[in-house]
């Protein structure tokens, strides 16, 4: 369904009633409404970043709901689309943390390097944030986080905002590094996101564990 490695890890989920019902619901929504991301892009995060290649998880809540923004990677928008305020603040922190000035809003290059850009809810109705909340996506992505959190190889989980931080208990292996702060949205960024240095802390952890650092 996604690819061989993820399918092996998630095969039990695919067989569950909630996942079957979720699939029926999502297909109906795409048929009758404008839904983001495009159907073919729903699982992009996992297609670009295979299970055994994940070094970092950046967890979002649900996709951007504006036209042509979401393409299956949390916090990422297609190049050429106006930069959302949260992503702008992420880039400000990246510059303040590592001196990297990034303008490309498409974060696919992060995903290819092992950054799983996962939204807990993977689809949304146009202009209706959280419209697919409680339909089964959370159960599915909680299992993804749980599987990664139990993995033996150390990795970094970046949890921005109260929703992402609520998933912390799913991460069982104490070898993993959890970096948490308030959300990068304009409403909260000044209350602890700015200055949290998630990018340098991530790379230090990867280096200390003999893994290649991320080129942010």
């Amino acid at each position: 369904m996604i690819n061989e490695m993820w399918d092996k890890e998630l095969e039990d989920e695919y067989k569950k009633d909630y996942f079957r019902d979720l699939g029926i619901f999502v297909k109906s929504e795409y048929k009758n409404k404008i839904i983001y991301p495009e159907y073919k892009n729903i699982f992009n995060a996992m297609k670009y970043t295979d299970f055994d290649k994940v070094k970092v998880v950046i967890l979002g809540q649900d996709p951007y709901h504006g036209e042509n923004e979401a393409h299956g990677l949390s916090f990422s928008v297609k190049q050429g689309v106006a930069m959302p305020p949260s992503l702008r603040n992420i880039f400000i922190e990246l510059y303040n943390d590592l001196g990297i000035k990034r303008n490309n809003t498409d974060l696919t290059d992060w995903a290819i390097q092992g950054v799983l850009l996962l939204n807990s809810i993977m689809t949304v109705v146009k202009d209706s944030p959280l419209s697919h909340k409680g339909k089964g996506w959370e159960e599915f992505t909680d299992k993804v986080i749980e599987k990664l959190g139990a993995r033996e190889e150390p990795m970094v989980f970046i949890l921005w905002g109260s929703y992402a931080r609520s998933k912390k208990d799913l991460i069982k292996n104490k070898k993993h590094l959890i970096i948490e702060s308030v959300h990068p949205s304009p409403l909260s960024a000044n209350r602890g996101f700015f200055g949290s240095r998630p990018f340098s802390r991530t790379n230090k952890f990867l280096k200390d564990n003999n893994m290649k650092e991320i080129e942010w």
Side-chain angles (χ1 to χ4, degrees), residues 36 47 68 128 147 155 170 191 195 207 214-215:
Y36 298 128
K47 289 175 180 174
N68 291 325
S128 301
K147 288 270 187 182
M155 70 184 81
L170 298 170
R191 301 203 306 267
K207 186 176 181 180
I214 304 299
E215 294 181 15

Side-chain angles (χ1 to χ4, degrees), residues 39-55:
Y39 189 81
K40 67 180 181 180
N41 292 334
I42 293 174
F43 293 104
N44 268 359
M46 299 157 82
K47 289 175 180 174
Y48 285 121
T49 315
D50 215 339
F51 179 82
D52 63 337
K53 303 291 191 233
V54 177
K55 298 179 183 178

Side-chain angles (χ1 to χ4, degrees), residues 87-97 100 193-194:
L87 186 58
R88 188 178 305 280
N89 285 339
I90 289 168
F91 286 176
I92 289 171
E93 179 61 18
L94 175 60
Y95 179 76
N96 290 338
D97 187 4
I100 295 171
F193 174 74
F194 291 135

Side-chain angles (χ1 to χ4, degrees), residues 45-86:
M46 299 157 82
K47 289 175 180 174
Y48 285 121
T49 315
D50 215 339
F51 179 82
D52 63 337
K53 303 291 191 233
V54 177
K55 298 179 183 178
V56 184
V57 178
I58 299 181
L59 186 63
Q61 187 162 9
D62 73 333
Y64 295 119
H65 52 83
E67 187 172 2
N68 291 325
E69 292 181 326
H71 63 122
L73 305 176
S74 64
F75 295 102
S76 177
V77 295
K78 298 175 185 176
Q79 185 69 356
V81 178
M83 191 183 300
S86 292

Side-chain angles (χ1 to χ4, degrees), residues 6-23:
W6 279 111
D7 288 349
K8 181 181 177 184
E9 291 296 325
L10 298 168
E11 60 183 349
D12 290 343
E13 295 304 295
Y14 297 161
K15 299 171 186 174
K16 292 180 180 178
D17 289 346
Y18 89 86
F19 193 80
R20 184 200 65 226
D21 293 343
L22 173 63

